[in-house]
């Protein structure tokens, strides 16, 4: 068994779509980033990469590489899920948290799980929690959104 942790945060700005876990969520601001700024996908990607011992998201998708500019983070996630499979790993479980003051995410969790399943992660091995930051700090002030994830990986061949 291997375990990996992932964290990401992006700034909320006007004039961008809010994409979380591959879902376009109605809100007056969106996340700024080289890709779509999808903090949840990025945290999950880093958790998977960490559990493989393969560095971090920046090493796999450098923001100097135009192949990934405005890339869908679901596509990046699929790339990493496929990499794990090709290295003989099976994703056993992923738990995650999105921390944002607004908007409320509970109504979107099922749609997010469905979108993430398109990257090859079944809803049966994925938990997503939504929290606020109780009005404190950059998240509480609505300046940005953060996400955390952990991934448990099983070696299916050596
Ligand atoms: Mg990111």
């Amino acid at each position: 068994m291997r375990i990996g942790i992932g964290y990401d945060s992006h700034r909320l700005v006007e004039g961008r779509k809010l994409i979380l876990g591959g879902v376009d969520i109605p809100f007056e601001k969106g996340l700024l980033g080289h890709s779509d700024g999808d903090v949840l996908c990025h945290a999950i990607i880093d958790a998977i990469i960490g559990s493989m011992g393969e560095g971090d998201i920046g090493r796999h998708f450098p923001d100097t590489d135009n192949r990934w500019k405005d890339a869908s983070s679901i596509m990046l996630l699929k790339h990493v899920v496929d990499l794990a499979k090709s290295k003989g790993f099976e994703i056993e479980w992923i738990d995650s948290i999105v921390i944002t003051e607004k908007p409320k995410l509970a109504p979107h969790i099922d749609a997010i799980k469905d979108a993430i399943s398109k990257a090859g992660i079944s809803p049966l091995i994925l938990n997503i929690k939504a929290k606020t930051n109780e009005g404190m700090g950059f998240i509480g002030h609505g300046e940005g959104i953060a996400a955390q994830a952990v991934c448990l990986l099983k070696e299916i061949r050596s």
Side-chain angles (χ1 to χ4, degrees):
M1 288 286 194
R2 308 273 201 98
I3 193 164
I5 185 170
Y7 170 84
D8 195 29
S9 61
H10 281 259
R11 188 180 291 274
L12 272 172
V13 295
E14 281 170 12
R16 293 267 300 183
K17 285 181 175 177
L18 178 59
I19 308 289
L20 285 173
V23 175
D24 187 345
I25 292 170
F27 193 53
E28 71 255 23
K29 290 181 174 179
L31 294 169
L32 188 62
H34 185 71
S35 65
D36 54 15
D38 188 333
V39 284
L40 176 57
C41 280
H42 295 178
I44 293 172
I45 286 169
D46 247 353
I48 297 170
I49 290 173
S51 59
M52 288 192 288
E54 290 284 331
D56 62 27
I57 191 169
R59 187 167 119 196
H60 292 262
F61 309 108
D63 59 12
T64 50
D65 186 339
N66 272 326
R67 268 187 307 165
W68 311 117
K69 188 174 181 339
D70 296 321
S72 147
S73 293
I74 290 288
M75 205 183 75
L76 308 189
L77 181 56
K78 184 174 188 312
H79 184 86
V80 167
V81 169
D82 290 345
L83 181 67
K85 272 185 205 152
S86 75
K87 288 184 170 289
F89 292 115
E90 186 182 308
I91 296 170
E92 186 90 351
W93 189 258
I94 290 170
D95 190 16
S96 61
I97 314 173
V98 181
I99 311 147
T100 182
E101 216 63 29
K102 279 194 277 183
K104 282 264 171 285
L105 294 184
H108 303 287
I109 299 292
D110 285 347
I112 290 173
K113 284 186 165 190
D114 190 49
I116 289 177
S117 74
K118 295 187 176 83
I121 297 171
S122 160
L124 299 173
I125 58 157
L126 174 63
N127 193 64
I128 302 169
K129 304 186 290 290
K131 289 185 73 73
T132 73
N133 214 36
E134 299 283 339
M136 297 180 289
F138 78 88
I139 295 169
H141 299 144
E143 292 166 34
I145 294 179
Q148 299 177 340
V150 288
C151 170
L152 197 64
L153 213 60
K154 188 165 76 179
E155 288 163 82
I156 50 178
R157 61 166 190 267
S158 52

